[in-house]
Amino acid sequence: MDLNKAMIIGNITRDPEIRTTPNGTQVASFSIATNKVWTDQTGQKQSRAEFHNIVAWRKLAEIIGQYVKKGNKIYIEGRIQTRDWEGQDGTKRYTTEIVADNMIMLGGNNPGGGQSFNQNTAPTPARQNQTNEPVINIDEPANGDPTEDEIRVENIPF
């Protein structure tokens, strides 16, 4: 059995960039910072920020473009993906990102704070958040089968 699942809570480090593929599919890209805090051997408090690249597609990308701004605290759930491409200098380059399936906006300063957004066609009890806020459903194939307008790396405009 294999599992590829990422769940992070952090702050948006830049406003999301919303683009449209040549076939009209929306894609959002942004990054989230998470912080690790610990006490070292001398008793000094230490912290380290980790930056995560996030990509969201279709309706979730549209929602992110409307509601998510730099500084917002959000929860993202998705899968880790590494893609490669050839740079202009001819070298092979790689990037690792989280492809978002679900998002919950956290904190009182967010419009729609506590609101859950996802890529599922039907909410499941496990997807309901603690405040029992409604889940906004996004039209995707329920069985996970690819559709004829499946996104391909070569169609990504960035």
Side-chain angles (χ1 to χ4, degrees):
M1 180 168 89
D2 298 332
L3 177 66
N4 182 351
K5 186 71 129 182
M7 296 181 283
I8 62 172
I9 295 175
N11 295 315
I12 304 294
T13 61
R14 60 183 165 88
D15 286 341
E17 184 176 338
I18 309 301
R19 296 187 180 182
T20 305
T21 64
N23 68 358
T25 303
Q26 285 195 315
V27 58
S29 59
F30 57 100
S31 63
I32 294 178
T34 56
N35 295 299
K36 176 180 171 72
V37 178
W38 73 95
T39 303
D40 67 15
Q41 293 174 345
T42 65
Q44 296 292 318
K45 194 176 214 179
Q46 302 290 324
S47 67
R48 178 179 174 197
E50 190 73 36
F51 298 90
H52 311 273
N53 295 319
I54 312 295
V55 176
W57 294 93
R58 299 178 183 87
K59 186 68 174 173
L60 187 56
E62 181 182 326
I63 291 166
I64 287 169
Q66 290 176 352
Y67 294 106
V68 175
K69 302 290 181 231
K70 179 180 177 178
N72 290 155
K73 183 172 283 288
I74 66 171
Y75 164 85
I76 290 287
E77 183 178 306
R79 62 184 168 83
I80 298 172
Q81 172 180 286
T82 300
R83 24 181 206 105
D84 61 75
W85 72 96
E86 188 172 310
Q88 292 180 350
D89 60 357
T91 60
K92 196 166 195 176
R93 302 197 185 270
Y94 298 89
T95 188
T96 300
E97 56 205 8
I98 296 172
V99 179
D101 293 325
N102 301 303
M103 173 187 73
I104 299 174
M105 299 181 69
L106 304 172
N109 294 338
N110 286 340
Q115 182 68 48
S116 177
F117 304 93
N118 66 53
Q119 294 284 15
N120 298 322
T121 57
T124 62
R127 295 283 185 245
Q128 293 291 337
N129 59 35
Q130 297 295 328
T131 60
N132 291 324
E133 294 285 340
V135 174
I136 295 177
N137 299 314
I138 298 169
D139 296 325
E140 291 291 313
N143 60 9
D145 291 339
T147 62
E148 56 189 87
D149 64 347
E150 179 179 25
I151 305 305
R152 301 191 189 287
V153 172
E154 57 270 11
N155 293 338
I156 299 173
F158 51 94

